[in-house]
Amino acid sequence: MTETLSAGDEAIVEIEGLAYGGNGVGRIGRRVVFTPYAAPGDRAVVVIRDVRRTYLVGDIKEIIVPSAERTQPRCPLFYRCGGCSYQHLNYAAQCEWKERQVRDSLTRIGGMVNPPVESLIPSPEPYRYRGKAEYHWAPGDGGALSMGFLDVSGRALIDVVSCHIVRESIDEAVFSLRERCRIDDAAPRDRRLIFWSGYSYRESHFIERQVKEKTFRVPYSGFFQANLVLAERLVDEVMALAAPGPSDTVLDCYCGAGLFSLF
């Protein structure tokens, strides 16, 4: 049956799992089919979009029986925007499947038997936690600028007025830059726009981040942990696992602003 499948064909698929990146995983005959926005436990009519040698890619046409893990995404752009891919799952299910994906990667790719993966530590704030974001821009209607993220295909820009993942101050900075460009009738020089929470666009060459008793000075185009809510907990976990002593030497490679090495 599956050998004769072509793009446009339909099949009823039971979604059994979730692949890294958020695509639902099911089977049509002996072949795996990856389906964006499908939730484990869904029973759905899937339209084949792409036929590969070892797997299929499909899109949901109709959900016959919805998964108990499925929820209404908070963001109205979720099914178009490529910025995130798990909002159709409740947060408990997101955590469970991400933990499974780590364990599966260590087993399937790393060759480990029963890898010692501990329970995932959930964020106390599943939304509005991100302190840095990169936006794209393009000319919009009437001389206005569109600013946002690429769509799920990676080819078209989705104009994002408010992102539910980033801090509110990033939304405010994006709005301010739109207004400045509209008033000045000028487009940004950079094709990709970096925004940090608590700062206007390009307000400074460096931004500051406070973690516990330390203040970190980060280059504007540099890296810092994106989840500001969990940064202190992450430091605690790394310190507990490393357990450095007075005579130990710590080599922190690709350390960004030195978050762990300074502690």
Side-chain angles (χ1 to χ4, degrees):
M1 169 190 169
T2 59
E3 296 303 321
T4 59
L5 278 174
S6 302
D9 289 346
E10 299 179 7
I12 295 176
V13 179
E14 308 282 348
I15 304 299
E16 303 165 356
L18 207 65
Y20 179 78
N23 288 340
V25 179
R27 290 186 178 275
I28 300 177
R30 298 180 181 179
R31 299 178 76 176
V32 170
V33 55
F34 295 102
T35 308
Y37 308 118
D42 279 345
R43 189 166 193 261
V45 178
V46 173
V47 180
I48 303 303
R49 185 204 322 158
D50 197 4
V51 179
R52 302 293 180 92
R53 186 174 62 85
T54 57
Y55 64 91
L56 308 167
V57 179
D59 295 303
I60 292 178
K61 178 181 180 180
E62 176 189 356
I63 298 176
I64 302 170
V65 179
S67 165
E69 298 179 348
R70 181 176 284 279
T71 191
Q72 180 66 29
R74 180 180 294 193
C75 178
L77 300 174
F78 172 69
Y79 291 111
R80 296 171 51 214
C81 178
C84 52
S85 54
Y86 287 87
Q87 280 193 41
H88 62 304
L89 300 178
N90 65 60
Y91 188 57
Q94 291 182 35
C95 293
E96 178 184 348
W97 281 101
K98 288 176 181 179
E99 183 182 318
R100 288 191 190 187
Q101 289 165 358
V102 172
R103 185 177 289 106
D104 177 65
S105 296
L106 291 172
T107 302
R108 181 171 48 83
I109 302 173
M112 299 177 67
V113 179
N114 297 321
V117 178
E118 297 188 12
S119 296
L120 181 145
I121 299 172
S123 174
E125 298 179 23
Y127 291 95
R128 295 295 187 185
Y129 61 85
R130 191 174 181 88
K132 179 187 177 184
E134 286 195 21
Y135 284 64
H136 299 262
W137 70 268
D141 297 330
L145 291 180
S146 294
M147 293 185 187
F149 306 114
L150 297 180
D151 70 354
V152 292
S153 72
R155 293 187 292 270
L157 179 68
I158 301 295
D159 192 39
V160 179
V161 175
S162 179
C163 175
H164 293 262
I165 300 300
V166 304
R167 294 285 201 181
E168 288 90 342
S169 60
I170 291 182
D171 279 347
E172 294 165 3
V174 173
F175 176 79
S176 295
L177 181 60
R178 288 179 192 264
E179 286 297 290
R180 194 195 322 161
C181 292
R182 181 183 64 80
I183 294 171
D184 296 342
D185 192 24
R189 289 174 297 174
D190 301 321
R191 293 303 303 178
R192 304 181 76 174
L193 310 174
I194 299 174
F195 293 90
W196 293 87
S197 62
Y199 288 83
S200 300
Y201 179 69
R202 290 286 184 189
E203 177 182 339
S204 171
H205 292 298
F206 293 89
I207 64 100
E208 290 187 351
R209 285 289 183 256
Q210 184 78 28
V211 179
K212 296 182 181 288
E213 74 281 4
K214 297 187 186 299
T215 300
F216 295 84
R217 195 163 180 256
V218 186
Y220 192 87
S221 59
F223 170 81
F224 198 79
Q225 294 296 328
N227 192 322
L228 301 181
V229 182
L230 281 176
E232 290 193 5
R233 181 64 184 272
L234 188 57
V235 167
D236 290 340
E237 293 294 324
V238 170
M239 290 294 293
L241 289 168
S247 61
D248 289 331
T249 297
V250 176
L251 183 63
D252 192 349
C253 300
Y254 309 98
C255 63
L259 176 64
F260 303 119
S261 48
L262 289 180
F263 280 102

